[in-house]
């Protein structure tokens, strides 16, 4: 069954590593739905968060292909429902709609959004939440006119009960992770 | 920033014994010094603008480092592959930027699929010109990402030693593979304080995982209890240098042994337990009995689709044990009931300790019975045809009869399958062929590399009339280097394997497979290479003898049957158990998938 899988790919800091990572996905014709890169909790180690829509078997195979890359330290993946996710959305509207219509203020208030920046011409509104929440605000604001809209894509972190599955312990070598322990038979 | 992490890996983890003195050198000289420090004695390449400083430095080291000038960069990388496959060492090739670099790609891809250790060095435009579409600037780093185990761009001279140290370590360790190092021209001409330390550790890379003792015990227990066990082995045995360990394992268990194309010669062909080659054009018994065995023991192989055919019908009845160094291969194509991840050179001896002596006479008799059927229906005819035209198999058989124990290097196509089926191997690393990528044009340059790696062994290239014309310019290397490579052109004036498929699966519509060929003898004459053409059966054996006895290079063209097919065959999409022994049989089956 296809669903959204979120990969947490830890790599060394080397020019071109992002292309190596995305090539693993594009090779099997998967579109990356969301991507963010940042330095991880460990100095000099980068975390690439990649979301793709695929089945579990594909996600498993991709994680192994990712870990095969020399500069990748670890590649773990989890489905959406095993993660806590959040994204930031920014909306640019004409300031006059703020000044002339109380509706705009009501919308912002109702969605628990906030005004990030405002001048005589335009106002930027920020909303942090899940995809459906930022979409709902967009739909409501469309009535007064949205000049520009951007969302970060989800950033995800594993739920506490899955800490073992998504071990961040870099001292655990990647190859020892799952392979030979996963599939043993009773003899 | 990028070099900081790289150097720290190397510097912190190294044994710091015998620190060599620091020398001030140009980047170009540093490149050569790195190669020498890694024990490289032969490299293959082609000069051009962006690599000229390094070629200039090469002249100062002519005695220590032999450079073989090829005629096309594809020849350089295939020759480096042939060198690596014959010797077990890292093959090295060198080319300029732009077209020089892109011409390497086919060979790099071939090495990637066949796990061949290569270090490819390409020149690059000056660092300040990167991204400006400068003359012969191409982003070879990005182009080579999907086909390299690792790659790196060097933009300043002081990055050279660490980059090359890491390149050699990655290329040869674990599951070997090709590495590309792109070096800008300024890095070659600038100077650095040179000190070389071999790389032995990278924090993000575990080349050879420690075997899991529980998995080993489970494997041993399954093997000991098996009534119909079968071993399918691949190149992992050769790459791990585990031929002796494999032989010991085989003889303790008495299990029948079947090889993949790349595993051939890991055990002598005449070993009593050896039951032949797997796959589409492999032998009848091991393919059929793959679907009858109770325990399938895969050793250093990756269940390529040419071996398994349709996975839905592959060994479903069997418990599968997979010995493999690359964790990404476990459960990729075939589910492993027990997976032993590690180097077979380490895992097999630990396994043997837990195994009982066995012989499996009844089970082996089943292989013998099926082999007799193949012998009667196929082999007999292939080796003693009633037709006037010579068969490819007769040529290979004639070569076997000379008992010269050659390294056989093949191209890709019918002749390749016939060579793999019929060549007799006495010694390890005696077959060099393009397996995964199936690269036509591989044979001639790879044979050159093999001969340079093993000058004391006869090297025989077996190539079709199609493939030889893809890299025929490398005859120039045979001429210039006076290399005693023997080239047998099996000329059927067709792209034979494609023609066979057209006959079997495309209604005999022979689209673009018939070839109008040049006079190969005159071409060889042009390069000053001794040659002979054989058209009659009675001339074949003497011609082979003449070829092998000739002290130098030799081109032997054998005109073979035009419309001969390689049998048996597993129809694409069928089960391995449905291997066809004759055309009428295979014609009845529709190809179920487009290959």
């Amino acid at each position: 069954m296809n669903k959204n899988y979120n990969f947490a790919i830890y790599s060394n800091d080397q020019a071109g590593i992002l292309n190596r990572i995305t090539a693993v996905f594009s090779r099997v014709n998967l579109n990356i739905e969301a991507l963010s890169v940042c330095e991880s909790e460990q100095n000099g180690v980068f975390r690439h968060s990649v979301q793709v829509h695929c089945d579990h078997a594909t996600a498993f195979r991709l994680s192994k292909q990712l870990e095969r890359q020399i500069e990748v330290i670890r590649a773990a993946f989890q489905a959406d429902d095993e993660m806590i996710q959040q994204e930031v959305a920014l909306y640019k509207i004409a300031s006059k709609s703020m000044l002339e219509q109380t509706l705009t203020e009501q919308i912002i208030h109702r969605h628990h959004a906030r005004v990030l920046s405002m001048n005589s011409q335009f106002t930027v509104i920020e909303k942090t939440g899940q995809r459906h929440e930022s979409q709902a605000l967009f739909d409501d604001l469309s009535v007064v006119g949205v000049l520009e809209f951007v969302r970060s894509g989800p950033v995800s972190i594993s739920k506490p009960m899955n800490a073992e599955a998504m071990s961040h312990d870099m001292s655990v070598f990647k190859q020892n992770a799952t392979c030979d322990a996963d599939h043993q038979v009773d003899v | 920033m990028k070099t900081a992490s790289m150097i720290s890996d190397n510097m912190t983890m190294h044994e710091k014994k015998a620190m060599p003195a620091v020398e001030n050198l140009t980047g170009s000289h540093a490149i050569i010094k790195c190669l020498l420090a890694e024990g490289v004695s032969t490299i293959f390449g082609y000069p051009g603008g962006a690599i000229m400083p390094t070629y200039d430095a090469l002249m100062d080291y002519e005695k220590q480092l032999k450079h073989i000038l090829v005629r096309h960069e594809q020849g350089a990388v295939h020759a480096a592959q042939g060198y690596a496959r014959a010797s077990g060492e890292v093959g090295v090739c060198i080319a300029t930027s732009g077209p020089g670099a892109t011409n390497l790609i086919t060979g790099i891809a071939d090495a990637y699929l066949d796990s061949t250790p290569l270090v490819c060095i390409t020149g690059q435009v000056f660092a300040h010109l990167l991204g400006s579409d400068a003359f012969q600037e191409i982003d070879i780093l990005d182009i080579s990402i999907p086909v390299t185990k690792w790659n790196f761009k060097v933009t300043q001279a002081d990055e050279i030693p660490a980059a090359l140290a890491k390149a050699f370590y990655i290329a040869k360790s674990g599951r070997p593979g090709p590495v590309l190092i792109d070096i800008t021209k300024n890095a070659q001409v600038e100077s650095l304080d040179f000190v070389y330390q071999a790389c032995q550790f990278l924090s993000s890379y575990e080349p050879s995982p420690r075997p899991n003792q529980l998995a080993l015990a489970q494997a041993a227990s399954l093997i000991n209890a098996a009534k119909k066990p079968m071993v399918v082995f691949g190149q992992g045995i050769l790459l791990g240098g585990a031929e002796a360990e494999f032989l010991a394992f085989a003889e303790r268990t008495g299990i029948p042994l079947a090889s993949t194309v790349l595993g051939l010669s890991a055990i002598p062909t005449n070993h009593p337990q050896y039951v032949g080659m797997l796959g589409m054009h492999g032998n009848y018994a091991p393919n059929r009995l793959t679907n009858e065995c109770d325990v399938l023991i895969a050793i250093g192989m990756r269940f390529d689709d040419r071996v398994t055919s349709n996975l839905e019908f592959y060994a479903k009845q069997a418990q599968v044990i997979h010995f493999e160094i690359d964790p990404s291969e476990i459960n990729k194509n075939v589910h492993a009931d027990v997976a032993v991840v590690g180097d077979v050179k380490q895992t097999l001896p630990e396994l043997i300790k837990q195994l009982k002596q066995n012989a499996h006479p009844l089970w082996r008799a089943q292989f013998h019975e099926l082999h007799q059927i193949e012998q009667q229906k196929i082999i007999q005819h292939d080796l003693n045809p009633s037709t006037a035209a010579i068969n490819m198999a007769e040529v290979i058989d004639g070569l076997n009869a000379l008992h010269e124990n050659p390294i056989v290097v093949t191209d890709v196509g019918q002749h390749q399958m016939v060579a793999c089926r019929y060549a007799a191997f006495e010694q390890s690393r005696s077959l060099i062929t393009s397996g995964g990528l199936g690269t036509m044009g591989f044979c001639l340059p790879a044979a050159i590399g093999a001969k340079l790696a093993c000058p004391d062994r006869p090297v025989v290239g077996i190539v079709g009339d199609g493939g030889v014309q893809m890299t025929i310019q490398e005859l120039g290397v045979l001429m210039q280097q006076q290399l005693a490579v023997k080239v047998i052109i099996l000329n059927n004036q067709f792209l034979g394997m494609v023609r066979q498929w057209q006959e079997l699966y495309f209604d005999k519509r022979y689209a673009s497979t018939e070839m109008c060929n040049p006079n190969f003898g005159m071409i060889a004459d042009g390069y000053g290479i001794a040659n002979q053409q054989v058209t009659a059966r009675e001339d074949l054996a003497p011609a082979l003898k003449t070829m092998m006895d000739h002290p130098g290079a030799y081109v032997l063209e054998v005109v073979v049957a035009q419309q001969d097919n390689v049998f048996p065959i597993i129809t694409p999409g069928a089960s391995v158990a449905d291997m066809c022994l004759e055309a009428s049989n295979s014609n009845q089956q529709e190809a179920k998938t487009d290959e």
Side-chain angles (χ1 to χ4, degrees):
Chain A
M1 189 184 67
N2 281 5
K3 49 179 165 174
N4 281 341
Y5 284 98
N6 302 280
F7 284 79
I9 304 152
Y10 293 88
S11 81
N12 293 331
D13 175 20
Q14 195 197 317
I17 184 65
L18 181 61
N19 287 4
R20 254 191 197 275
I21 288 168
T22 56
V24 171
F25 295 97
S26 58
R27 181 180 174 195
V28 292
N29 211 22
L30 273 182
N31 198 14
I32 290 174
E33 314 259 335
L35 167 71
S36 68
V37 183
C38 63
E39 193 164 19
S40 72
E41 63 275 15
Q42 190 152 325
N43 202 6
V45 172
F46 277 65
R47 174 175 171 145
H48 308 252
S49 302
V50 178
Q51 188 183 76
V52 291
H53 196 70
C54 63
D55 60 36
H56 186 273
T58 304
F60 179 79
R61 205 171 73 216
L62 291 174
S63 71
K64 295 292 152 210
Q65 297 289 332
L66 287 162
E67 290 193 337
R68 203 178 162 202
Q69 308 303 320
I70 301 290
E71 303 289 357
V72 169
I73 298 160
R74 183 153 165 71
F77 67 93
Q78 286 186 306
D80 261 358
D81 50 11
E82 296 162 344
M83 311 283 292
I84 290 168
Q85 298 188 334
Q86 200 73 319
E87 65 178 25
V88 176
L90 301 179
Y91 312 72
K92 184 161 46 171
I93 61 171
S95 290
K96 70 173 195 268
S97 78
M98 284 285 283
L99 300 169
E100 290 167 8
Q101 300 179 35
T102 53
L103 172 66
T104 312
E105 260 189 63
Q106 285 170 6
I107 293 171
I108 294 169
H109 186 70
R110 181 155 28 96
H111 284 273
H112 303 290
R114 69 180 183 121
V115 172
L116 195 66
S117 164
M118 186 176 193
N119 64 25
S120 58
Q121 272 136 21
F122 63 85
T123 299
V124 176
I125 297 159
E126 180 203 326
K127 165 75 189 159
T128 302
Q130 298 200 8
R131 170 63 57 101
H132 67 273
E133 294 172 310
S134 62
Q135 186 63 40
L137 176 56
F138 176 80
D139 293 343
D140 285 355
L141 281 176
S142 296
V143 178
V144 297
V146 178
L147 301 174
E148 196 179 336
F149 169 56
V150 63
R151 56 160 69 101
S152 65
V155 287
S156 318
I157 204 157
S158 57
K159 285 181 183 172
M161 57 277 210
N162 289 328
E164 295 257 318
M166 207 151 168
S167 166
H168 294 176
D169 182 1
M170 298 297 164
S171 64
V172 177
F173 278 120
K174 54 189 181 182
Q175 275 87 352
N176 291 343
T178 44
C179 272
D180 42 15
D182 265 9
H183 298 281
Q184 309 297 343
V185 283
D186 296 321
V187 183
Chain B
M1 202 165 172
K2 61 187 175 186
T3 44
S5 69
M6 191 174 78
I7 289 167
S8 69
D9 262 339
N10 286 344
M11 295 302 284
T12 50
M13 304 314 295
H14 274 171
E15 297 167 35
K16 296 198 173 170
K17 57 182 178 189
M19 279 275 277
V22 176
E23 283 178 278
N24 194 266
L25 296 176
T26 64
S28 303
H29 282 82
I31 294 169
I32 315 291
K33 287 269 195 182
C34 293
L35 298 180
L36 293 173
E38 287 290 344
V40 177
S41 59
T42 307
I43 64 174
F44 305 86
Y46 205 97
I51 196 71
M52 279 182 68
T54 300
Y55 268 87
D56 187 65
L58 262 175
M59 284 199 81
D60 297 336
Y61 299 88
E62 273 176 338
K63 291 222 170 73
Q64 298 119 289
L65 189 58
K66 188 172 187 178
H67 175 267
I68 306 297
L69 175 66
V70 294
R71 298 299 184 267
H72 185 289
E73 288 87 352
Q74 188 185 349
V77 61
H78 288 329
Q81 288 180 272
Y83 188 93
R85 299 261 296 261
S87 66
E89 305 292 320
V90 177
V92 179
C93 62
I94 176 167
T96 193
S97 64
T102 55
N103 280 342
L104 295 178
I105 289 293
T106 301
I108 295 175
D110 194 287
Y112 188 65
L113 280 174
D114 284 353
S115 309
T116 307
L118 290 189
V119 170
C120 308
I121 297 169
T122 52
Q124 183 54 280
V125 300
F126 284 90
H128 72 272
L129 291 175
L130 288 171
S132 71
D133 296 329
F135 178 64
Q136 295 192 330
E137 185 206 351
I138 204 78
D139 184 2
I140 195 63
L141 223 66
D142 260 13
I143 290 176
S144 62
I145 278 176
V147 292
T148 48
K149 189 174 172 187
W150 185 68
N151 62 7
F152 190 76
K153 194 199 296 286
V154 170
T155 56
Q156 45 194 68
D158 60 7
E159 298 171 349
I160 288 172
L164 281 172
K166 196 168 162 182
F168 275 90
Y169 173 62
I170 291 170
K172 67 189 171 194
S173 58
R175 179 180 180 176
V179 168
L180 183 141
I181 303 292
D182 195 32
I183 307 178
T184 58
K185 199 168 180 179
N186 59 292
Q188 297 170 49
V189 295
E190 286 161 6
S191 52
L192 73 152
D193 290 332
F194 178 81
V195 56
Y196 192 76
Q197 287 197 289
C199 177
Q200 287 156 348
F201 174 85
L202 292 170
S203 60
S204 61
Y205 173 53
E206 174 67 82
S208 185
R210 271 175 292 116
N212 177 321
Q213 293 302 323
L214 175 66
L216 269 171
Q218 287 176 328
S221 158
L222 271 180
I223 294 169
N224 284 334
K227 298 279 176 262
K228 294 178 167 188
M230 173 172 165
V231 167
V232 291
F233 66 92
Q235 197 192 193
I237 292 170
L238 297 165
L239 291 172
E243 294 90 340
E245 291 80 0
F246 181 60
L247 189 67
F249 160 80
E251 295 189 339
R252 181 154 192 92
T253 58
I255 298 175
L257 316 165
S259 181
T260 67
V261 165
L262 291 189
L264 290 172
S265 83
I267 199 158
T269 319
N270 63 4
H271 190 279
Q273 281 164 252
Y274 180 66
V275 293
M277 184 173 82
L278 297 155
M280 182 171 269
H281 292 290
N283 291 103
Y284 191 54
N287 276 306
R288 283 285 306 270
L289 295 177
T290 296
N291 278 9
E292 277 191 38
C293 67
D294 59 356
V295 176
L296 187 71
I297 305 144
I299 304 180
M301 58 86 78
R302 62 185 176 91
F303 292 109
D304 176 74
D305 61 281
R306 282 295 187 272
V307 163
T308 65
S309 199
N310 192 331
L311 284 170
E312 282 178 42
F313 309 118
Y314 183 78
K316 289 297 179 195
Q317 79 295 341
Q319 300 257 43
V320 175
I321 307 172
H322 198 175
F323 290 84
E324 169 62 49
I325 198 166
D326 178 357
S328 76
E329 291 296 347
I330 306 293
N331 297 325
K332 188 182 80 175
N333 296 331
V334 171
H335 173 76
D337 296 291
V338 177
V340 183
V341 180
D343 186 341
V344 288
K345 188 147 182 96
Q346 290 166 2
T347 53
L348 285 180
E350 292 194 41
L351 178 74
I352 294 167
K353 287 184 218 154
Q354 306 177 45
L355 292 178
K356 289 188 237 159
Q357 189 80 36
N358 216 327
H360 299 289
L362 293 177
W363 170 231
R364 270 160 66 185
Q366 271 186 264
F367 283 85
H368 183 71
E369 267 170 44
L370 288 177
H371 183 74
Q372 288 311 16
I373 295 173
E374 183 179 353
Q375 179 75 32
Q376 279 165 18
K377 293 210 167 183
I378 310 255
I379 299 172
Q380 189 106 324
H381 162 78
D382 278 356
L383 298 181
N384 310 290
S386 49
T387 52
I390 302 173
N391 267 350
M392 292 184 186
E394 291 177 84
V395 182
I396 310 298
D397 200 43
L399 191 63
N400 291 341
L402 296 175
H403 296 292
E404 298 256 8
N405 185 26
I407 296 178
V408 173
V409 186
T410 85
D411 214 74
V412 171
Q414 285 186 321
H415 71 275
Q416 175 191 31
M417 290 298 104
V418 172
C420 290
R421 285 176 54 76
Y422 288 100
F425 302 113
E426 298 168 28
Q427 189 178 334
S428 157
R429 293 185 181 272
S430 289
L431 176 75
I432 298 172
T433 190
S434 167
L437 196 66
T439 308
M440 285 176 70
F442 176 83
C443 172
L444 182 52
I448 289 168
K451 185 66 190 175
L452 282 155
C454 301
D456 298 333
R457 285 189 72 185
V459 172
V460 179
I462 295 170
V463 62
D465 48 311
V468 75
Q469 292 184 71
M470 284 198 172
T471 47
I472 200 164
Q473 73 282 352
E474 303 305 335
L475 288 174
V477 179
L478 295 188
M479 175 177 66
Q480 188 164 355
Q481 301 295 334
Q482 299 286 305
L483 286 176
V485 171
K486 319 293 179 181
V487 182
I488 302 177
I489 303 174
L490 296 177
N491 183 0
N492 57 4
Q493 295 184 19
F494 265 102
L495 299 175
M497 187 58 91
V498 182
R499 194 210 61 78
Q500 174 170 348
W501 279 49
Q502 288 169 332
E503 181 184 322
L504 298 179
Y505 311 126
F506 287 85
D507 255 350
K508 303 189 178 178
R509 287 157 56 87
Y510 299 118
S512 301
T513 41
E514 190 166 4
M515 292 202 110
C516 179
N517 283 327
N519 182 324
F520 291 113
M522 283 177 76
I523 291 179
D525 282 340
Y527 285 101
I529 295 172
N531 61 86
Q532 183 176 180
Q533 188 199 51
V534 170
T535 53
R537 180 164 290 114
E538 62 269 24
D539 299 333
L540 178 62
L544 286 166
K545 177 96 172 71
T546 305
M547 175 187 82
M548 295 308 283
D549 289 346
H550 184 77
Y554 202 93
V555 172
L556 175 63
E557 178 194 357
V558 183
V559 177
V560 294
Q562 277 205 348
Q563 313 237 327
D564 199 19
N565 288 331
V566 185
F567 280 103
I569 185 172
I570 301 169
T571 305
S575 154
V576 284
D578 294 332
M579 186 167 219
C580 305
L581 286 164
E582 53 210 351
S584 58
N585 207 350
S586 71
N587 264 340
Q588 288 161 4
Q589 294 190 23
E590 281 291 304
K592 288 175 192 159
T593 53
D594 276 340
E595 297 285 301

